[in-house]
Amino acid sequence: MSLFKRLKNKFTASGDSISEKFKEGLVKTRDNFSNKINDLVSRYRTVDEDFFEELEEILIQADVGFETVMELVEELKMEVKKRNIKDPADVQSVISEKLIEIYESGDENLSTLNIQEDGLTVILFVGVNGVGKTTTIGKLAHKFKSEGKNVLLAAGDTFRAGAIDQLEVWGERVGVDVIKHAEGSDPAAVMYDAVQAARSRKADILLCDTAGRLQNKVNLMNELEKIKRVIEREIPGAPHEVLLVLDATTGQNALIQAKTFKEATDVSGIVLSKLDGTAKGGIVLAIRNEMNIPVKFVGLGEKMDDLQVFDPEKYVYGLFSDAIEKTEE
Ligand code: GDP
Ligand code: MG
């Protein structure tokens, strides 16, 4: 069975609303990236060098990233040769297969969070200003709460008063408490109090917001180290996850931020926000392939339930499903 048929069966038969979310959230990327590939496939009669060159161009424009594109196209060429594919239309499903393969290569657990089943799980959120840290914390708090978990938030972005208020608004919306200090206070002190509060209230999950000042790498490193030290001293093994939030609409800039943060602290996973706001959704693949950090969640909108566990099959299905329907009719 072709990949597309398998994915279609998997996601339509189950009435999976999450793959619908991916489809909706990827509208812009689909209009840009997938339609260009469809157009390419329909314009060529044979799969030749020119075909691959145009394909490279489309992939690069979709922010898949130079290295990843080169790797992908190299493998495509080999596969096309091996299977003796002549018709460009048949290349489309190979492209999708390779996209999923690139994502799934590597053996670490891709999307699961390191959750402590008995005891407190501390998750630290890092990333520059405006990428969506606070929003992601609100969405994740909602997700954990609806799973019956006892959730607490720590207002570690003490740099701006607005940031503390914003987290409180999310706390009220979701129905979880926020531990905060005054604007300008030491974020490490907020974390200390938050950990104590989480302990005494027997919380399951503590989600920690931080400021996104990226003055320079040394300051960033010092600030994050101090926060982590305080948390770790109180709870050995914590923080259990350090999630770097990146804004998908910033394209290659997001990759540069990922490099900086990776050097400054141990990032365990990435949340790629605002995937709904970009036509260049290929950035997911670039981040995965070039940074070797798993994308654990993607943001597909501003609402509470717009955070989704990243699933490469759903992503690829979301990108190509319309085209597949057409070619299989
Ligand atoms: P922070 O400075 O990193 O805490 O970023 P915020 O959480 O304040 O988010 C900045 C802006 O991005 C806000 O207006 C959010 O509503 C918006 N935002 C965050 N995540 C998403 C997303 O997945 N999709 C869209 N469309 N907007 C988002
Ligand atoms: Mg914030």
Side-chain angles (χ1 to χ4, degrees):
M1 196 189 302
S2 77
L3 172 76
F4 285 153
K5 277 231 178 69
R6 186 172 67 74
L7 294 184
K8 188 178 171 186
N9 289 349
K10 184 168 166 187
F11 297 133
T12 50
S14 62
D16 192 334
S17 65
I18 292 170
S19 55
E20 277 306 308
K21 275 255 171 233
F22 267 89
K23 263 187 88 170
E24 273 169 44
L26 288 168
V27 165
K28 289 186 182 164
T29 298
R30 195 161 55 242
D31 286 349
N32 180 39
F33 176 55
S34 332
N35 289 354
K36 279 189 192 158
I37 289 189
N38 296 339
D39 171 61
L40 173 72
V41 160
S42 65
R43 271 190 293 110
Y44 275 80
R45 287 182 189 286
T46 55
V47 186
D48 55 15
E49 263 310 305
D50 288 349
F51 175 87
F52 283 117
E53 248 172 53
E54 272 201 56
L55 179 63
E56 269 174 25
E57 194 52 40
I58 293 171
L59 290 165
I60 283 170
Q61 278 174 13
D63 268 349
V64 174
F66 185 76
E67 282 175 40
T68 311
V69 171
M70 291 306 134
E71 212 175 292
L72 181 68
V73 171
E74 210 42 55
E75 290 196 17
L76 271 177
K77 284 180 180 169
M78 284 193 315
E79 205 60 35
V80 162
K81 210 167 176 183
K82 202 168 94 191
R83 298 194 205 170
N84 199 19
I85 293 174
K86 300 272 185 272
D87 184 354
D90 295 333
V91 182
Q92 199 172 35
S93 77
V94 188
I95 295 174
S96 310
E97 276 171 41
K98 289 289 162 200
L99 289 175
I100 294 175
E101 249 174 53
I102 278 203
Y103 192 87
E104 287 178 337
S105 63
D107 49 11
E108 79 265 51
N109 227 333
L110 285 179
S111 58
T112 47
L113 290 177
N114 176 20
I115 299 290
Q116 307 307 108
E117 286 311 330
D118 33 33
L120 176 64
T121 301
V122 183
I123 305 179
L124 190 63
F125 290 80
V126 301
V128 306
N129 218 345
V131 288
K133 292 181 296 297
T134 307
T135 309
T136 301
I137 289 172
K139 291 169 176 174
L140 256 189
H142 168 67
K143 181 179 174 318
F144 284 128
K145 191 161 186 254
S146 55
E147 290 169 4
K149 296 213 157 71
N150 184 356
V151 184
L152 199 61
L153 310 182
D157 183 355
T158 57
F159 193 56
R160 298 169 300 135
I164 302 169
D165 296 341
Q166 191 194 353
L167 193 68
E168 283 200 297
V169 169
W170 271 106
E172 275 164 31
R173 200 179 286 163
V174 175
V176 303
D177 286 340
V178 178
I179 305 300
K180 58 166 188 174
H181 285 187
E183 177 191 352
S185 54
D186 182 355
V190 179
M191 296 308 167
Y192 179 83
D193 276 0
V195 169
Q196 302 308 325
R199 268 210 191 116
S200 67
R201 298 177 192 195
K202 300 206 167 13
D204 302 305
I205 310 270
L206 174 63
L207 304 176
C208 306
D209 203 359
T210 61
R213 284 175 299 160
L214 190 60
Q215 326 87 326
N216 64 57
K217 205 153 66 195
V218 176
N219 285 359
L220 175 75
M221 218 181 290
N222 290 341
E223 196 164 293
L224 292 178
E225 270 318 304
K226 189 172 170 196
I227 288 174
K228 280 176 71 179
R229 216 163 42 234
V230 167
I231 295 174
E232 193 177 12
R233 200 171 55 211
E234 298 306 306
I235 302 176
H240 304 92
E241 292 277 354
V242 177
L243 298 181
L244 170 64
V245 183
L246 298 172
D247 176 344
T249 65
T250 61
Q252 296 305 303
N253 215 341
L255 274 174
I256 296 167
Q257 287 167 22
K259 287 191 181 113
T260 308
F261 275 88
K262 199 180 171 186
E263 282 160 17
T265 189
D266 299 315
V267 176
S268 60
I270 284 169
V271 177
L272 190 63
S273 68
K274 311 186 200 180
L275 200 53
D276 57 305
T278 178
K280 300 181 166 195
I283 190 76
V284 178
L285 296 160
I287 287 172
R288 165 75 188 127
N289 201 42
E290 288 171 36
M291 302 310 304
N292 211 14
I293 309 171
V295 177
K296 300 213 173 184
F297 294 95
V298 290
L300 297 167
E302 291 180 286
K303 294 192 302 294
M304 229 189 276
D305 60 353
D306 285 337
L307 189 76
Q308 298 290 333
V309 171
F310 182 70
D311 175 336
E313 290 191 343
K314 283 177 187 162
Y315 166 79
V316 167
Y317 183 72
L319 283 181
F320 292 111
S321 57
D322 289 345
I324 302 158
E325 309 263 306
K326 264 181 233 145
T327 53
E328 304 215 327
E329 264 163 20

